Amino acid sequence: MRGRPYPQTRAADRDALLTAAADALTAGTGVLLSGEPGIGRTTLLGRLAAGQAAAGRRLLRCQPAPEERRLPHLGLIDLFAEVGDAVLDSALAPAELAALRAALHRSETGGGPPHKGADALLALHMAVLKTLAALCDRSPVLLVVDDAQWLDPPTAHALAFALRRARRLPLTVLAAARTPPGGEPAAERLLPGPQLRLQVPPMTERETTALLAESELPSWPHPLPARIAQTAAGNPYLALELGRALLATGHPPGRPDPGGPLPVPATVRALLLDRLAPLSARARRTLLTAGAADRPTVRLLRRAGRDHAAADLAEAVALGVLEPPRLGPVRFSQPLMPRVVYEAAGPDARRRAHTALAEAAEDPVERAHHLAALTPGWDARTAAVLADAAATARRRGAPATAARLGRLAADHTPPDDPAADADRRLTAAEDAVAAGDYPLARRIAHEVLAGPGRPAERVRAWIVVVDSCGQALAEVADVFPQALEDARDDPELLARLHYRMSWRAWLVAGSAATAHTHAQRSAVLARQAGDRRTELLALTQQSALEFYLGEAAAEQTLALALAAPQDPRVLFDHNGPVFLKHRRHLLHDRLDDARTELRALIYTVRHRGSAESLCQCLSGLAQVEILRGSCERALDLAHQSLRVTEQAGLSQGPAWYAVALAEAAGGSPDRALAAAERARRHSEDDDDQLFLPRALHAEGQIRLLRGETAAALHALQRTRLLELGQGQGDPAVRRWQADLAEALVAAGCADEAAALLAETRAQAVRLGRRGILPVLDRSAALVTEARGDPAAAVTRLERAAAEAAALPYRLEEARTRLTLGRVHARRGDPRAARTALAEAARLFTRAGARPWLALTTAELDGLDAPAAPPAPGLTALTPTERRVALLVAQGATNRETATILTVSVKTVEAALTRAYRKLGVRSRVSLSRALLAPGAD
């Protein structure tokens, strides 16, 4: 009796698919991978097959092609290509042997079975079954069939016959088939038993950009790989083809315009046109109208004369050309499809479509889009309509649409009105900055700079160039002297420039004091010029710097920035006063207020703000959730921030920093470390002195969590050097001090840690930063223990834990309980240790802090383990083993130990293995306890 197939399953990602498929194959369940052309079925099939081969299965493979489907038994010929005649001779009866030899074209008389009819067919099918059984007697067998939709019918029938009768054999099928338009691959003949059907998911944007980076294509700046990934819609073949086409059209070759349209390679165009071929002529005309529209809906298409729009769209959905209908506009399944449909139509058909849509459109933005397509060349009326439509899109919070329409307005502006042309271009460039389309913004700005523009126009263009570089302000150092020369003595222009010079002083020069001077100058000049927007931005920047420097004027300056009248563009910007207000709440331990501010801000920014503002708000809220002990929510927010950053082509250091913190709190220490290292590298590449110390702090904290003391100390010392060099005067703004003190104690530098903590506590008390005091006390207790007074350390930790419990920082309270449990354990008080650790575990569980919970659980398990016999001391080790063991016990990695001792990593690994054996320990933690605990040899 035939088994029921499993339902079609769509894995969350490719790793999940590979895991599910490998598990099914190991359990003897057949697997079918399905998906659209180019989605990567063959690559995944190869990885799965390689894994099964490594596990001891014999692979029989075939990969038919479309033109081979009419060649009978070609699939069998490929599958049995490596099966020797000796196997056939020993397993088959004469009639069966003759039938199979003929089908495989191995008979001495050549081609075809000896005779036709049911007997010959049965003999062939039995021969296939017995051959597979004979192979299974030697080892498990896996049939690997790629592009199963092209398998010739005689082979498919023979395999189905054999597989239905091979239930007790270690025989499994791994197949891949193309998903037909509007349906699922029919593979019941090939997989007659229980089967797992897995639809290959599209690649994520990050996977696609990684694929491009690993290919033969050059390394391109952020926007290009992201745009290719979005256009390919997760299809790796399309992504690579688009990348190659873009490379070929670059000017100069290999350096394409990052903001220009992506070329459609002929291979991709043919592939997409093949999907359109089954459509009726009427449906294709409806798709042309939909592709020409800015936001096509069924109602708009009907108003444009497509009376059967609903039926035509349903036909396209059935063929997979459109996504299934839902609220909102009609959506093509592949982002390039509307362009291919549009370009495949003739110019007359395109003009008719735009004319009908211009008459049908009720929305001014939609109407302007079609008017521009119908009016080539200069036309003052069309330019004015387009400029008005751009303003409408801007008011709606659609800066990308505003930028596109604004540039079209400039292109249609007659040459006898250069002022209007420059103003429209610059407004479009500013809209492009707000939309995160930095390449377009820079290109438009340089169009203005290339002309004889007035000083005010040139300064606006220079500001666009500066604003479009994100965190990488070091790249535009030469812009400011030119812009200041163009600004001359105009207070409004100078105010805008000094505001950006303030950011450059902080990000690039790493001087908060110099940045503060520029911010103050900007605010004064903007007030003189009546430029309220720049004044609000400058006051916010001034206040942020005063908080950082620990100056009392910060609160008053922020109040000025929050006062009326307000500019909505500033109020809902990440450099505006509302965003800074949430940081002030954090300084005063008002986490719920900070969370409320950010959630409201994110709601508005999603509809009206820039991509960079959304990224920063999501990142900020993730950090607040970590402090509140909502680690799962923090993980989601941090990864949202990263997705926004990648899609917009922004500098990635800040987003990876948020991901590192969230993964360290509630995800994976390995992923956390990788994210922190990426944050550091991005910040170093951008020469971003503002975020580099944050990335280093995240890396140091994560390495402490992992027990890598030496590496943690190195990262945290760099953090201190950078932060103090920039002038940090408020320890609650960037809270790295307690982690550095903990690393110093672990490295044997208790006196240095004590001095750091005393200085930091004095600053915190002076500024009234109550929330940081219990954290400093936790590290101070470790100093006390290191100085030989564990009882006093316990008292101090108990007081710190009680103070932390009265504050909203749940993870810090849990970390203090964990430290208290460890100190109790080192004092030899397992009962007290168990009580403290159990409370820490409860708090970490409630917060979803998985890495910290794992660490706490390991400590509890260590308390329950039977006491080990006294281990031999260092005298049992050779000099090399002793040096390696001591360095590793202090937190050095194998590679760091090898560098310090000037030996190879293999030498370190061998010496460490011998040391483990001689000392009777099994882990680095046990090694540290054996060698570094009080009383150890």
Side-chain angles (χ1 to χ4, degrees):
M1 186 174 175
R2 287 177 58 181
R4 292 176 60 84
Y6 292 0
Q8 174 81 5
T9 301
R10 182 166 189 153
D13 55 44
R14 298 188 172 219
D15 288 339
L17 179 144
L18 289 169
T19 300
D23 290 345
L25 291 171
T26 301
T29 299
V31 173
L32 172 65
L33 306 181
S34 64
E36 65 180 27
I39 198 66
R41 300 182 313 274
T42 298
T43 299
L44 296 173
L45 191 85
R47 290 177 64 180
L48 287 167
Q52 294 297 305
R57 287 182 184 262
R58 176 166 184 169
L59 305 187
L60 304 180
R61 301 172 178 263
C62 71
Q63 185 177 7
E67 61 274 12
E68 298 170 353
R69 195 169 190 274
R70 297 182 181 276
L71 302 177
H73 303 119
L74 187 59
L76 283 179
I77 293 173
D78 291 341
L79 286 168
F80 289 161
E82 297 182 8
V83 178
D85 289 340
V87 175
L88 307 184
D89 293 341
S90 62
L92 305 180
E96 296 163 350
L97 181 61
L100 184 56
R101 279 184 173 278
L104 299 179
H105 286 255
R106 295 189 191 180
S107 64
E108 297 178 359
T109 57
H115 57 83
K116 297 180 180 180
D119 290 342
L121 187 62
L122 178 60
L124 174 60
H125 288 185
M126 289 301 298
V128 172
L129 173 60
K130 289 184 178 181
T131 301
L132 292 173
L135 294 172
C136 288
D137 287 341
R138 304 181 180 193
S139 65
V141 174
L142 179 67
L143 300 179
V144 183
V145 184
D146 197 4
D147 280 326
Q149 73 276 1
W150 306 128
L151 194 66
D152 63 274
T155 295
H157 289 308
L159 290 177
F161 175 92
L163 290 167
R164 281 194 296 270
R165 291 160 178 80
R167 301 292 175 81
R168 298 182 181 278
L169 296 177
L171 175 64
T172 315
V173 179
L174 170 62
R178 178 180 298 186
T179 303
E184 296 298 338
E188 285 83 358
R189 293 178 305 170
L190 186 62
L191 296 170
Q195 56 185 264
L196 176 64
R197 294 187 174 198
L198 291 168
Q199 184 179 352
V200 177
M203 278 187 164
T204 64
E205 187 170 315
R206 200 174 305 159
E207 288 172 335
T208 307
T209 53
L211 173 71
L212 293 168
E214 294 166 2
S215 69
E216 76 281 6
L217 298 171
S219 176
W220 286 325
H222 298 317
L224 273 177
R227 287 182 59 214
I228 292 171
Q230 292 164 20
T231 304
N235 188 302
Y237 171 78
L238 293 185
L240 291 171
E241 288 297 296
L242 286 169
R244 294 181 184 116
L246 191 63
L247 180 64
T249 57
H251 301 289
R255 296 181 62 186
D257 179 3
L262 293 177
V264 183
T267 52
V268 173
R269 188 182 302 276
L271 187 67
L272 297 180
L273 287 174
D274 283 346
R275 295 173 65 177
L276 296 170
L279 285 171
S280 64
R282 189 187 74 190
R284 292 191 71 158
R285 288 193 294 273
T286 298
L287 284 186
L288 168 62
T289 308
D294 194 38
R295 284 178 56 84
T297 63
V298 174
R299 183 172 182 272
L300 176 63
L301 294 174
R302 283 175 176 157
R303 287 174 55 85
R306 307 312 305 164
D307 297 334
H308 301 91
D312 295 339
L313 297 178
E315 182 182 342
V317 169
L319 291 171
V321 175
L322 296 178
E323 292 183 2
R326 55 183 178 180
L327 293 176
V330 174
R331 297 181 184 276
F332 287 81
S333 58
Q334 213 296 322
L336 284 174
M337 188 67 80
R339 182 172 161 194
V340 169
V341 170
Y342 186 83
E343 293 176 352
D348 292 340
R350 293 199 291 264
R351 175 169 285 275
R352 285 194 298 271
H354 282 298
T355 301
L357 287 165
E359 295 173 354
E362 299 172 320
D363 179 64
V365 174
E366 179 82 41
R367 189 180 305 113
H369 168 76
H370 301 296
L371 182 61
L374 292 166
T375 313
W378 298 315
D379 185 272
R381 176 179 170 276
T382 301
V385 171
L386 286 165
D388 289 343
T392 300
R394 192 177 307 113
R395 287 193 298 273
R396 291 175 178 173
T401 301
R404 177 172 55 81
L405 291 171
R407 194 177 188 203
L408 285 172
D411 290 342
H412 282 79
T413 301
D416 59 358
D417 193 357
D421 179 285
D423 180 65
R424 287 166 177 166
R425 288 189 192 282
L426 289 168
T427 303
E430 290 159 356
D431 286 330
V433 170
D437 193 346
Y438 293 161
L440 176 61
R442 282 192 291 270
R443 190 164 68 252
I444 297 174
H446 284 293
E447 289 172 1
V448 174
L449 290 168
R454 296 174 300 171
E457 294 166 351
R458 293 181 61 80
V459 173
R460 276 183 74 187
W462 287 125
I463 287 173
V464 167
V465 172
V466 172
D467 290 350
S468 64
C469 70
Q471 304 293 118
L473 278 172
E475 297 176 0
V476 291
D478 58 334
V479 165
F480 289 100
Q482 300 175 66
L484 286 169
E485 183 179 346
D486 285 329
R488 299 171 187 170
D489 57 355
D490 186 318
E492 182 176 0
L493 300 179
L494 288 171
R496 296 179 184 180
L497 288 172
H498 275 288
Y499 170 69
R500 286 155 178 88
M501 291 167 71
S502 172
W503 276 110
R504 184 178 181 277
W506 202 0
L507 264 74
V508 179
S511 173
T514 303
H516 183 256
T517 300
H518 281 297
Q520 281 183 311
R521 180 66 175 153
S522 173
V524 171
L525 289 167
R527 193 176 306 116
Q528 291 175 2
D531 182 356
R532 182 60 174 164
R533 182 187 182 191
T534 302
E535 182 186 1
L536 291 171
L537 288 169
L539 285 170
T540 304
Q541 173 77 338
Q542 180 183 334
S543 177
L545 286 158
E546 287 165 354
F547 277 123
Y548 181 80
L549 292 166
E551 296 183 2
E555 297 279 356
Q556 182 180 355
T557 306
L558 179 57
L560 292 173
L562 287 165
Q566 279 293 335
D567 184 320
R569 292 172 296 176
V570 176
L571 200 61
F572 304 120
D573 189 272
H574 67 286
N575 291 322
V578 174
F579 187 82
L580 181 59
K581 190 178 175 185
H582 103 269
R583 290 185 172 167
R584 182 185 66 179
H585 285 316
L586 294 180
L587 293 177
H588 294 290
D589 309 317
R590 298 192 293 262
L591 301 192
D592 288 343
D593 290 343
R595 182 173 183 258
T596 300
E597 293 280 4
L598 280 176
R599 291 181 68 180
L601 189 56
I602 286 170
Y603 178 82
T604 305
V605 169
R606 285 191 190 276
H607 293 87
R608 301 181 57 186
S610 69
E612 186 172 7
S613 290
L614 180 57
C615 168
Q616 293 288 350
C617 289
L618 289 168
S619 173
L621 185 54
Q623 293 170 59
V624 172
E625 296 291 4
I626 292 170
L627 294 173
R628 293 179 69 250
S630 299
C631 297
E632 187 172 346
R633 179 67 178 145
L635 271 171
D636 178 58
L637 289 163
H639 283 283
Q640 282 187 53
S641 173
L642 182 59
R643 284 194 295 272
V644 171
T645 297
E646 291 174 335
Q647 289 166 4
L650 303 171
S651 299
Q652 294 186 16
W656 279 113
Y657 165 71
V659 170
L661 294 180
E663 288 286 352
S668 157
D670 290 342
R671 290 196 300 269
L673 182 58
E677 289 174 336
R678 293 190 72 164
R680 172 174 52 77
R681 287 196 297 270
H682 279 292
S683 297
E684 288 171 341
D685 291 345
D686 291 339
D687 199 12
D688 181 353
Q689 301 301 302
L690 182 58
F691 263 94
L692 178 57
R694 302 188 203 184
L696 286 165
H697 177 208
E699 182 180 346
Q701 186 183 84
I702 293 161
R703 290 191 182 278
L704 266 182
L705 171 64
R706 292 162 57 95
E708 300 171 6
T709 305
L713 181 59
H714 176 71
L716 292 166
Q717 290 280 34
R718 285 187 66 192
T719 302
R720 174 166 64 174
L721 184 66
L722 288 167
E723 295 286 24
L724 297 185
Q726 290 182 29
Q728 181 182 355
D730 187 336
V733 173
R734 312 270 178 81
R735 305 185 181 199
W736 48 267
Q737 301 85 351
D739 288 324
L740 174 56
E742 185 176 335
L744 285 168
V745 171
C749 304
D751 290 342
E752 185 178 351
L756 169 64
L757 290 169
E759 180 183 357
T760 305
R761 169 175 276 277
Q763 291 176 323
V765 170
R766 176 178 64 83
L767 295 168
R769 302 300 185 234
R770 174 171 166 252
I772 198 175
L773 296 178
V775 181
L776 297 175
D777 284 342
R778 182 179 68 222
S779 297
L782 293 175
V783 173
T784 302
E785 182 194 26
R787 287 174 168 174
D789 193 349
V794 165
T795 301
R796 193 161 194 173
L797 282 168
E798 288 173 341
R799 184 173 64 248
E803 291 174 358
L807 292 165
Y809 303 103
R810 295 286 71 81
L811 283 191
E812 295 299 351
E813 179 190 358
R815 284 186 63 182
T816 304
R817 297 285 180 187
L818 170 60
T819 303
L820 177 59
R822 285 172 159 172
V823 173
H824 275 309
R826 288 195 287 265
R827 287 185 69 206
D829 188 347
R831 178 178 297 179
R834 189 172 290 105
T835 301
L837 292 171
E839 178 61 13
R842 185 187 69 80
L843 292 169
F844 285 135
T845 301
R846 187 173 180 181
R850 287 188 288 269
W852 291 100
L853 178 60
L855 195 62
T856 307
T857 303
E859 294 285 347
L860 282 166
D861 291 343
L863 292 175
D864 295 332
L874 286 172
T875 54
L877 306 181
T878 66
T880 299
E881 292 166 355
R882 187 181 304 124
R883 287 194 293 269
V884 168
L886 283 170
L887 285 168
V888 170
Q890 293 176 62
T893 65
N894 289 0
R895 187 170 298 279
E896 290 165 345
T897 302
T899 302
I900 293 169
L901 299 180
T902 321
V903 297
S904 69
V905 175
K906 287 187 176 181
T907 300
V908 171
E909 291 171 348
L912 191 58
T913 299
R914 294 193 300 271
Y916 277 8
R917 186 175 64 251
K918 291 180 180 180
L919 296 174
V921 298
R922 302 177 61 183
S923 69
R924 290 173 180 253
V925 173
S926 301
L927 182 67
S928 297
R929 288 175 177 162
L931 300 185
L932 302 181
D937 180 3

